Amino acid sequence: MSSAVMTHPVRLVQAQDLAHRLGLDGLAIDPDPQGPSSALRTALVAWSAAAPGASHHLVVQDDIEAPVELLEIVTEAATRFPDEALAFYTNWHARNGGAARLAALAGAAWVRAVPDEFTPSLAVCLPVTTAAAFTSFARGSAERHDDELFSVFFRERGRMSLLAVPNIVEHIGTSSINGHAAQGIRLAACPVSAADAGPLLAHGRVLEEPGWIPYMRYGEGYIRLPGQEKDADGGRGHHPWREALPATGLTEEGVHAVRKAHLPEDLAARVAHTFGRPFAEELWTYCLLLGRQAAHAARSLGPAPASVPDAAVSRLRRAAVAGAGPAGLSPERRPEAGPEEVRAMTALALSAVRTGEALL
């Protein structure tokens, strides 16, 4: 395993500290820091830095936090999946974040990324042959986002990356050299400790096809439908859950009936006090659909391996649910989610997930 940290001179000290703390090989510095912002420009340097004799290469970005066990965990994962592209972070309000959240509730430790969205690239491990193929593919591209070009590359090869459901890598800060600052606070979908992530990633189950995927962003719930990447816009559009329901076998009337019968008014009122009744109801409905689909996906998985502690699985589920509310807020409102607000949203989301698992 060789490794590199992507960085820009304005974050050089931060990147040096990260590389030192995690025992990473070195820095990949933007070769044209005065030029137009381009993560791809730096990514090409990073992915070309695989050491001679290495079988795999890990590239992380400079604005992350990760445990000192990162290299050990990544190496074990690469040994388990030697031919796969492995991503160790998923954005909490993205479709892939929704896929990771669904997989966590279904009892899986890995999930196949969707083909109609960027590949989360804060921490990615590739076989060196794949890294070389990507640099060859990407060189000369007019695209400036490495995460977008990754998805084009993987789609053309017919196999998207595997996403680590327990996220051991966390995004830090809200600034963005590449123009994403407007997204505000951007965190991992399912953050867990290295102690829990180790056995989960080494032995946990893989969810290859989660089916339709509920996700929530900017205060609205959506559903990512299977095959959406074949839409005229490449699948990049967002389908509100009400519009997408007919393709799931559910009805809006049925969902409303379940919500009317089972929405806990006390919890909804606590969330509504800060974020409004429409958001509280939307969060509960999103998590209802999430619980239903997770229960459905769980049936496609084999038996849980004995080597994965039940407590680790439970903590992963809890992390997935705890992030659903804050991730679903619009960027300007996420700073309002203090500890009390997060506890209220988590309790409301958990009630919906349990209802969805049991009723739909």
Side-chain angles (χ1 to χ4, degrees):
M1 181 73 65
S2 61
S3 55
V5 181
M6 285 174 53
T7 192
H8 185 281
V10 299
R11 292 181 179 167
L12 187 60
V13 173
Q14 179 175 314
Q16 289 171 332
D17 290 345
L18 181 68
H20 176 73
R21 191 175 67 81
L22 299 181
L24 305 179
D25 291 337
L27 307 183
I29 303 174
D30 187 342
D32 184 16
Q34 303 305 317
S37 63
S38 172
L40 181 62
R41 187 171 60 228
T42 309
L44 288 172
V45 176
W47 289 113
S48 299
S55 64
H56 291 77
H57 190 53
L58 169 68
V59 171
V60 305
Q61 296 183 15
D62 56 17
D63 53 347
I64 68 162
E65 182 62 58
V68 294
E69 299 91 343
L70 177 67
L71 273 178
E72 176 187 347
I73 291 173
V74 171
T75 300
E76 190 165 14
T79 301
R80 180 182 179 187
F81 302 110
D83 300 320
E84 296 280 7
L86 304 175
F88 292 88
Y89 167 90
T90 50
N91 187 307
W92 64 354
H93 69 275
R95 283 171 238 203
N96 278 319
R101 193 171 282 120
L102 189 156
L105 293 173
W110 296 90
V111 65
R112 187 68 61 184
V114 303
D116 43 89
E117 186 181 68
F118 66 90
T119 297
S121 58
L122 284 185
V124 174
C125 176
L126 299 180
V128 293
T129 53
T130 305
F134 175 69
T135 56
S136 177
F137 173 84
R139 205 172 299 280
S141 172
E143 175 61 66
R144 65 188 183 92
H145 299 288
D146 61 329
D147 51 6
E148 295 285 0
L149 202 59
F150 261 141
S151 288
V152 176
F153 174 70
F154 293 137
R155 281 197 302 270
E156 291 193 4
R157 291 166 70 95
R159 193 171 185 82
M160 302 306 291
S161 61
L162 271 183
L163 307 176
V165 176
N167 293 154
I168 52 170
V169 170
E170 184 60 278
H171 180 258
I172 58 174
T174 57
S175 65
S176 174
I177 291 172
N178 212 36
H180 298 307
Q183 296 182 23
I185 299 169
R186 309 181 295 283
L187 298 178
C190 306
V192 300
S193 69
D196 282 345
L200 285 164
L201 296 177
H203 307 290
R205 294 171 291 180
V206 178
L207 182 59
E208 284 284 354
E209 179 46 69
W212 52 269
I213 301 169
Y215 62 103
M216 189 174 179
R217 50 184 277 124
Y218 298 79
E220 302 290 338
Y222 299 92
I223 290 177
R224 189 266 168 188
L225 296 171
Q228 184 171 317
E229 70 277 9
K230 299 173 185 175
D231 292 352
D233 63 353
R236 299 309 295 265
H238 299 285
H239 299 303
W241 65 266
R242 293 172 181 83
E243 297 176 10
L245 273 185
T248 71
L250 303 176
T251 66
E252 186 173 354
E253 293 77 12
V255 169
H256 284 314
V258 172
R259 188 172 72 190
K260 182 177 180 180
H262 296 279
L263 175 69
E265 287 295 338
D266 56 336
L267 296 178
R270 287 172 57 194
V271 173
H273 176 73
T274 304
F275 301 111
R277 180 73 183 196
F279 175 81
E281 291 187 355
E282 192 77 350
L283 174 62
W284 198 86
T285 304
Y286 154 58
C287 290
L288 176 78
L289 297 172
L290 182 64
R292 182 272 181 199
Q293 188 62 352
H296 180 80
R299 292 196 287 270
S300 69
L301 297 172
S307 51
V308 177
D310 290 342
V313 175
S314 295
R315 283 189 287 270
L316 177 61
R317 282 175 53 91
R318 178 76 179 185
V321 175
L329 291 165
S330 57
E332 67 273 12
R333 303 216 62 183
R334 289 178 198 148
E336 299 175 49
E340 285 298 325
E341 289 77 16
V342 171
R343 277 192 287 270
M345 287 189 285
T346 300
L348 183 66
L350 186 58
S351 76
V353 167
R354 288 171 174 165
T355 302
E357 289 174 333
L359 294 183
L360 295 177

